[in-house]
Amino acid sequence: SIPIHLGNCTNLEELDLSHNSLSSTIPLEFIGALPNMVQIDLSSNSLSGNIDFEMFSQNLTSLMFLNLSNNLFSGHIPFVFSSTLIVLDLSNNFFDGSLTTQASIGAMMMNLLGTNQLIGEIPHNLFTTCGSSFQELDLSWNLLWGTIPSTLGNCRSLEVLSLSRNKLSGNVPHELGKLTTLRSLILGDNNLIDLPYELRKLVSLVYLDVKRNKLSGSIPTFLGNMGQG
């Protein structure tokens, strides 16, 4: 388990315990005693249990990088994090529950929540205001349904968007054509029925995945203009 006495290192700013064989939970004493922490990487271990994200936000007010991926964590994600958080990686765990309308991405650059058990619709208000540094969003391999939010078009700095392996349906919103910095658009394994003409504006695109959906008709000719900025 993670030693509680690490909490005695009150000046600690960066902690990397990734790629080990750590188990048990994250001790609360450890979280509450490290106010100067900027970067925490506990990825690729066998850590489990629920995460007290509220305690993370209240005590680690300088935290910019949090990587808990490839573990056995479970429970709900509140999606209200410290305004300082830039990179959040919770992928490859067992987090569940829905994305609430109170969710916020703040000033994040990367939000990686793929391969969990998240359910429900993706709230449109989540992307009403996107920071200019927001570059990657991964919600793939979950149980999300409904339509793709048109408000994703507000995330003008987005470079990678991965929503594959869900149950999303309907049309791909034409607002995604505003994402001129987008390099990877990964929407495979859903129930999407149409690709809008506005996607021709994705002049930076180098990877497009729309396999195993419900697209029909002829291959759109505008696909030949994508990635030719």
Side-chain angles (χ1 to χ4, degrees):
S1 59
I2 297 174
I4 294 176
H5 63 72
L6 276 175
N8 296 329
C9 305
T10 54
N11 293 321
L12 200 62
E13 295 182 359
E14 297 185 17
L15 176 65
D16 188 347
L17 300 175
S18 64
H19 292 84
N20 281 290
S21 300
L22 296 170
S23 58
S24 190
T25 61
I26 300 176
L28 297 181
E29 298 87 348
F30 161 73
I31 299 172
L34 300 171
N36 299 311
M37 190 65 72
V38 175
Q39 178 171 316
I40 297 177
D41 189 347
L42 304 178
S43 63
S44 299
N45 282 287
S46 297
L47 297 166
S48 60
N50 292 357
I51 303 294
D52 191 337
F53 287 107
E54 183 177 357
M55 192 169 185
F56 267 90
S57 294
Q58 291 178 351
N59 290 275
L60 304 179
T61 55
S62 299
L63 192 64
M64 299 177 66
F65 178 98
L66 178 61
N67 188 349
L68 304 179
S69 64
N70 295 293
N71 278 289
L72 304 170
F73 293 119
S74 57
H76 292 353
I77 305 174
F79 294 96
V80 179
F81 300 99
S82 169
S83 59
T84 61
L85 198 61
I86 294 176
V87 175
L88 174 67
D89 191 347
L90 304 179
S91 60
N92 290 285
N93 279 286
F94 295 93
F95 292 112
D96 56 16
S98 59
L99 303 173
T100 67
T101 55
Q102 289 77 37
S104 171
I105 60 173
M108 288 184 190
M109 182 173 65
M110 297 172 63
N111 194 323
L112 309 177
L113 305 174
T115 317
N116 279 289
Q117 298 175 6
L118 302 175
I119 63 172
E121 297 186 79
I122 305 174
H124 283 244
N125 69 300
L126 182 60
F127 311 106
T128 302
T129 57
C130 286
S132 59
S133 61
F134 191 46
Q135 296 177 4
E136 184 170 352
L137 174 67
D138 183 1
L139 293 172
S140 63
W141 291 79
N142 279 288
L143 302 170
L144 300 169
W145 61 74
T147 58
I148 297 174
S150 60
T151 49
L152 272 167
N154 296 323
C155 304
R156 300 296 181 88
S157 298
L158 205 59
E159 296 182 5
V160 177
L161 175 60
S162 181
L163 303 175
S164 63
R165 290 276 182 168
N166 280 288
K167 299 179 180 180
L168 299 171
S169 58
N171 298 326
V172 175
H174 66 83
E175 287 84 357
L176 294 191
K178 300 176 182 178
L179 304 179
T180 55
T181 60
L182 198 66
R183 295 180 58 81
S184 294
L185 179 58
I186 307 169
L187 305 176
D189 295 277
N190 281 290
N191 297 308
L192 302 170
I193 61 174
D194 185 49
L195 297 177
Y197 182 63
E198 286 78 6
L199 292 186
R200 75 190 189 282
K201 300 176 183 178
L202 300 182
V203 294
S204 300
L205 202 70
V206 297
Y207 182 72
L208 174 66
D209 177 2
V210 290
K211 67 177 180 290
R212 286 194 286 268
N213 275 284
K214 294 186 177 179
L215 304 175
S216 60
S218 58
I219 297 176
T221 56
F222 68 78
L223 290 179
N225 298 324
M226 298 169 72
Q228 296 186 16

